[in-house]
Amino acid sequence: GWRHLAFLSPPVGGCNEKRMLAMLPRCGKTFAEKMMKVEVWKWCNLSEFIVYYESFTNCTEVETNVVGCYWPNPLAESFIAGVHRQFFQNCSVDRQDWEDPPDEILIPLITVPVLLTIAMTGVVVWRSKHTEQVL
Amino acid sequence: MFSYFLIISLCIPLSLLSISNSISCLIQRPLPVLPASSDSTYSPTLEPEPFLFLLGKQRLLQAQHKCFDRMQKLPPYQGEGLYCNRTWDGWACWDDTPAGTLAEQHCPDYFPDFDVEEKVTKYCEEDGVWYMHPESNISWSNYTMCNAFTPEKMQSAYILYYLAIVGHSMSMVTLVISLAIFMLVRSLSCQRVTLHKNMFLTYILNSIIIIIHLVEVVPNGELVKRDPVGIPWRRKWQLIPVFLPGEFHKQRSMPMCKILHFFHQYMMSCNYFWMLCEGLYLHTLIVVSVFAEGQRMWWYYLLGWGLPLLPSTAHAIARALLFNDNCWLSVDTNLLYIIHGPVMGALVLNFFFLLNIIRVLVKKIKESQEDSYMYLKAVRATLILVPLLGVQFVILPWRPSHPVLGKIYDFVMHSLIHFQGFFVAVIYCFCNHEVQAALKRQWNQYQAQRWNGRRRAHRAANAAAATAAAAAALAEAPPIYICHQEPQNEPADNLGEAGAEVIPMEGGEVISMKGAEVIAVEAAAEVIAVEGAEVVAMEIIEQESSA
């Protein structure tokens, strides 16, 4: 499957790098055509066009393997990097990673419920003493 | 060495409860084929396919995209000397590495059999070139550790999963039975039992939510025994499996699992806050010496049901705004302490209340007050339960790394945690002598109702009337071990030696202040005859029903 495909060993005969460099731009062109159908502001959100990205990746793999090279290889990598520069230059890197808020927000968020718990318990204890005096 | 894709080639029907897409058998398939026409009406999201295959692929593509972004945005190599260039090896992203060093990172989570705790390594040779595998002459990263131990880990993960389901199911069953007992047996109603009932309710709801979560998350139905799907167990506080299938399809439109997560957190907090209410009630009873039935219950309702709303809502809002990951399942955030902080605070407070109670009781026992033993017995159940509930938070962070010890630790901790409801029900209800006595009484009444005692009724009527009256009066007084009863408040009776006196006995509590009717029956039996005892019981039934 796709997992297996990533590491196919090259057939005997070596790697025809020139041919690879000639074939790879076709993948880039197909990808560019498909990306034109996606609105520009969605270009930084991978889930919007993930199928096109997938087909682009597969295309580069196939073209690389056809000419007898392994994937990934430095030349294919630089080609893909070029495509990335073309489309995703202005995207921020960490979009999926979530980070904790800074301490100034985090510490009050944690301590306020804790203090409320203690306060509420104290109120209940105090009221129970008070009840006895009333009765 | 990458032939573990065989593990993926299983047939695991995934039936999902709340997600509308039903996903078919997961089999090994070739690359997903794009639809024939890529026109503008086709939405560029992944078509519905075997779920885990799809999820792994999506993660891989995201990682690749991020890697290439990162590779062009990171500044050039700053150090001196030879180095290996940054690269994407097909599964993981590698930065510029100095020559002669071994770069490592955590295994990716694309595949069910990859353990994210394990490390993948890539060696940069001394001449600034990544290590090439001798057979194929391709630069090669060592992913062997990622799934080397997976079969055993999966097996133990599965055992723990089943343990969780069994634990929560058993807890739910015993709790429902206990709740029914408390609600149906009227002689057991008092304030303390009301607290028990509320606590049992929170445990039942908690177990229901967890079972739904477990059943939804992991594929149910026919599981292939040889190679089960891996369940990532890297959770610190919540020992339930991580991923919720299908959710990534609808990250924007399906808040269901977040709502479920919110209720789960709320119920868990309620568990501990009701435990605090129990401790608080005992404390007020014994240390502050407010007599029974004199406390206002609505404070406890507020503390038990109302207060946990605060941290739960705060956590939900903070999570939604600041750390809105998929289904809020991530445990790598300190925002979880918004909930666990108050819970731990409640446990610590409870602990101090109990210490105080023990201190006061020991003082009273030393002063040889008779009823202190009685208080001690009433407190005994809570004394056992609070450490039982608290141990999860105290010991959990220190899991031993030794494989065998780690497994034993996992097994013991999971048993303690998932069977909590069961322990609570057993200790508070089934092992409680008052409950047992009340049940026996009910059973005797039921038996007696079947007997035809018309002839005997006549003979025993007179003697029975007196004892029945006294017994009925005593029956109104709640039994002593569940519900507190001040000795001076007990009504005077004419049974003499079997009266309201507390006789603490080792294992002999059965005889001392048990159900008054039993004593009445025994006393009456001495007066009349043995065969009249059932008749007396019948008379008592009639008295009670008429009262």
Side-chain angles (χ1 to χ4, degrees):
Chain A
W2 57 275
R3 175 173 167 174
H4 199 49
L5 200 63
F7 292 91
L8 281 181
S9 48
V12 184
C15 173
N16 191 343
E17 288 185 354
K18 249 208 267 193
R19 194 116 191 245
M20 180 177 72
L21 283 173
M23 299 295 285
L24 282 178
R26 272 193 358 186
C27 299
K29 240 202 295 198
T30 326
F31 181 63
E33 281 166 24
K34 292 193 187 129
M35 284 301 278
M36 290 304 149
K37 293 177 194 148
V38 180
E39 289 92 344
V40 182
W41 69 84
K42 290 185 182 174
W43 279 6
C44 283
N45 191 358
L46 181 63
S47 41
E48 296 284 341
F49 56 89
I50 192 166
V51 167
Y52 303 150
Y53 190 73
E54 186 194 358
S55 65
F56 167 67
T57 309
N58 297 337
C59 175
T60 55
E61 279 182 41
V62 165
E63 296 294 344
T64 312
N65 290 321
V66 153
V67 298
C69 303
Y70 64 89
W71 192 94
N73 67 73
L75 289 169
E77 260 183 48
S78 52
F79 170 73
I80 298 176
V83 171
H84 263 257
R85 264 194 299 275
Q86 189 184 346
F87 289 96
F88 312 121
Q89 178 79 22
N90 295 325
C91 294
S92 53
V93 179
D94 292 324
R95 280 193 63 88
Q96 290 294 318
D97 277 355
W98 300 98
E99 274 181 6
D100 274 347
D103 279 346
E104 295 87 38
I105 303 177
L106 192 64
I107 291 182
L109 264 179
I110 294 178
T111 46
V112 166
V114 176
L115 292 175
L116 268 174
T117 306
I118 299 175
M120 183 72 189
T121 311
V123 165
V124 177
V125 174
W126 176 75
R127 286 296 304 179
S128 61
K129 285 188 185 172
H130 202 63
T131 310
E132 185 197 327
Q133 289 161 16
V134 167
L135 291 170
Chain B
M1 87 197 58
F2 298 114
S3 58
Y4 287 92
F5 64 84
L6 282 171
I7 296 179
I8 304 183
S9 59
L10 307 170
C11 192
I12 306 172
L14 304 170
S15 76
L16 309 168
L17 296 178
S18 69
I19 318 282
S20 53
N21 294 337
S22 60
I23 299 179
S24 57
C25 184
L26 174 70
I27 49 173
Q28 189 201 352
R29 289 181 42 170
L31 291 170
V33 178
L34 274 183
S37 62
S38 325
D39 54 13
S40 55
T41 56
Y42 176 72
S43 76
T45 50
L46 294 167
E47 53 177 286
E49 273 201 316
F51 164 69
L52 290 167
F53 185 88
L54 209 55
L55 183 65
K57 189 127 187 77
Q58 193 209 24
R59 286 187 183 144
L60 177 70
L61 288 169
Q62 280 170 345
Q64 180 186 321
H65 183 83
K66 209 167 94 168
C67 185
F68 279 102
D69 256 356
R70 181 188 164 87
M71 286 206 295
Q72 61 169 322
K73 277 174 184 147
L74 273 183
Y77 183 65
Q78 311 284 6
E80 294 189 0
L82 291 171
Y83 66 96
C84 297
N85 278 317
R86 54 190 78 167
T87 182
W88 165 253
D89 69 355
W91 283 349
C93 205
W94 300 95
D95 289 341
D96 300 321
T97 313
T101 51
L102 185 72
E104 61 176 24
Q105 56 176 290
H106 282 289
C107 292
D109 59 351
Y110 315 137
F111 315 114
D113 57 332
F114 266 27
D115 182 10
V116 194
E117 308 282 317
E118 296 286 343
K119 291 281 179 73
V120 51
T121 56
K122 197 172 175 71
Y123 186 64
C124 181
E125 304 269 12
E126 276 78 5
D127 52 355
V129 174
W130 289 110
Y131 168 75
M132 300 217 176
H133 197 267
E135 281 174 31
S136 54
N137 223 15
I138 313 173
S139 65
W140 181 82
S141 320
N142 188 356
Y143 283 90
T144 52
M145 299 305 286
C146 295
N147 57 3
F149 308 114
T150 305
E152 304 140 16
K153 284 185 189 173
M154 276 199 245
Q155 199 185 33
S156 48
Y158 251 76
I159 291 175
L160 294 176
Y161 168 71
Y162 286 129
L163 188 67
I165 289 193
V166 165
H168 281 286
S169 311
M170 272 188 70
S171 300
M172 216 160 63
V173 165
T174 45
L175 284 166
V176 165
I177 295 174
S178 321
L179 196 61
I181 291 175
F182 278 142
M183 286 170 71
L184 296 174
V185 177
R186 271 187 227 112
S187 61
L188 288 173
S189 18
C190 62
Q191 280 185 340
R192 190 156 179 222
V193 170
T194 311
L195 293 182
H196 287 347
K197 284 192 260 187
N198 277 283
M199 199 170 81
F200 286 12
L201 191 61
T202 65
Y203 271 102
I204 291 170
L205 292 172
N206 197 18
S207 291
I208 289 175
I209 290 178
I210 290 185
I211 289 181
I212 291 176
H213 212 155
L214 283 174
V215 167
E216 253 193 55
V217 168
V218 183
N220 60 6
E222 309 100 65
L223 293 163
V224 177
K225 281 172 196 161
R226 275 180 296 122
D227 300 308
V229 171
I231 308 170
W233 284 97
R234 6 168 226 129
R235 301 197 124 227
K236 281 188 291 176
W237 303 109
Q238 294 161 334
L239 299 175
I240 46 179
V242 174
F243 57 86
L244 196 68
E247 191 54 38
F248 75 90
H249 277 299
K250 304 169 188 199
Q251 272 173 14
R252 290 172 299 245
S253 60
M254 265 290 213
M256 266 311 291
C257 69
K258 291 184 183 169
I259 293 176
L260 196 70
H261 188 83
F262 167 75
F263 275 115
H264 173 50
Q265 300 285 11
Y266 173 65
M267 276 303 142
M268 188 199 67
S269 320
C270 280
N271 273 355
Y272 289 93
F273 276 83
W274 272 106
M275 203 64 227
L276 175 66
C277 288
E278 296 259 356
L280 194 55
Y281 180 82
L282 283 175
H283 180 265
T284 312
L285 211 54
I286 292 171
V287 176
V288 183
S289 295
V290 177
F291 69 92
E293 314 305 311
Q295 302 188 41
R296 301 237 190 97
M297 289 307 290
W298 69 271
W299 282 110
Y300 291 102
Y301 282 114
L302 192 64
L303 189 63
W305 292 114
L307 194 58
L309 272 176
L310 270 154
S312 309
T313 348
H315 171 260
I317 294 174
R319 216 54 199 264
L321 293 175
L322 302 169
F323 203 100
N324 198 10
D325 62 316
N326 191 14
C327 240
W328 294 344
L329 287 174
S330 168
V331 287
D332 293 325
T333 171
N334 287 327
L335 288 176
L336 275 175
Y337 283 109
I338 296 177
I339 297 208
H340 291 113
V343 166
M344 285 193 273
L347 274 171
V348 168
L349 279 173
N350 215 4
F351 186 64
F352 282 127
F353 283 140
L354 286 179
L355 281 180
N356 208 15
I357 289 170
I358 295 174
R359 177 185 66 88
V360 166
L361 284 179
V362 166
K363 198 173 68 172
K364 281 189 181 174
I365 288 170
K366 282 194 180 150
E367 294 166 10
S368 343
Q369 291 188 20
E370 281 171 5
D371 48 354
S372 303
Y373 281 115
M374 167 190 82
Y375 288 121
L376 199 59
K377 289 195 195 312
V379 168
R380 181 180 54 188
T382 312
L383 279 175
I384 298 172
L385 272 175
V386 168
L388 198 69
L389 298 185
V391 75
Q392 168 187 5
F393 282 88
V394 172
I395 298 188
L396 199 58
W398 292 301
R399 185 182 184 276
S401 40
H402 187 264
V404 176
L405 282 179
K407 271 191 192 164
I408 296 175
Y409 171 90
D410 278 339
F411 192 77
V412 168
M413 288 307 293
H414 276 251
S415 308
L416 277 179
I417 290 167
H418 299 301
F419 281 87
Q420 259 176 22
F422 175 75
F423 292 139
V424 165
V426 163
I427 290 176
Y428 269 143
C429 182
F430 296 119
C431 282
N432 191 289
H433 292 294
E434 288 314 315
V435 173
Q436 290 170 350
L439 287 175
K440 269 190 208 149
R441 233 180 302 141
Q442 295 273 51
W443 178 250
N444 288 337
Q445 288 172 2
Y446 173 69
Q447 295 276 38
Q449 271 171 1
R450 297 160 118 218
W451 293 330
N452 191 359
R454 253 177 265 162
R455 284 181 304 156
R456 295 166 184 177
H458 216 40
R459 251 192 280 155
N462 291 335
T467 50
L474 269 174
E476 286 159 12
I480 206 83
Y481 294 120
I482 295 187
C483 304
H484 170 72
Q485 182 80 32
E486 287 284 339
Q488 54 268 32
N489 287 355
E490 283 168 1
D493 62 284
N494 48 7
L495 281 176
E497 81 280 3
E501 196 181 353
V502 175
I503 311 163
M505 289 162 63
E506 254 73 68
E509 297 113 355
V510 177
I511 302 176
S512 62
M513 279 296 295
K514 254 185 70 173
E517 290 90 337
V518 177
I519 303 166
V521 165
E522 288 167 3
E526 288 162 15
V527 168
I528 314 164
V530 177
E531 66 262 24
E534 300 90 354
V535 179
V536 176
M538 250 177 74
E539 291 287 342
I540 293 169
I541 297 166
E542 287 165 12
Q543 283 284 342
E544 273 187 24
S545 53
S546 61

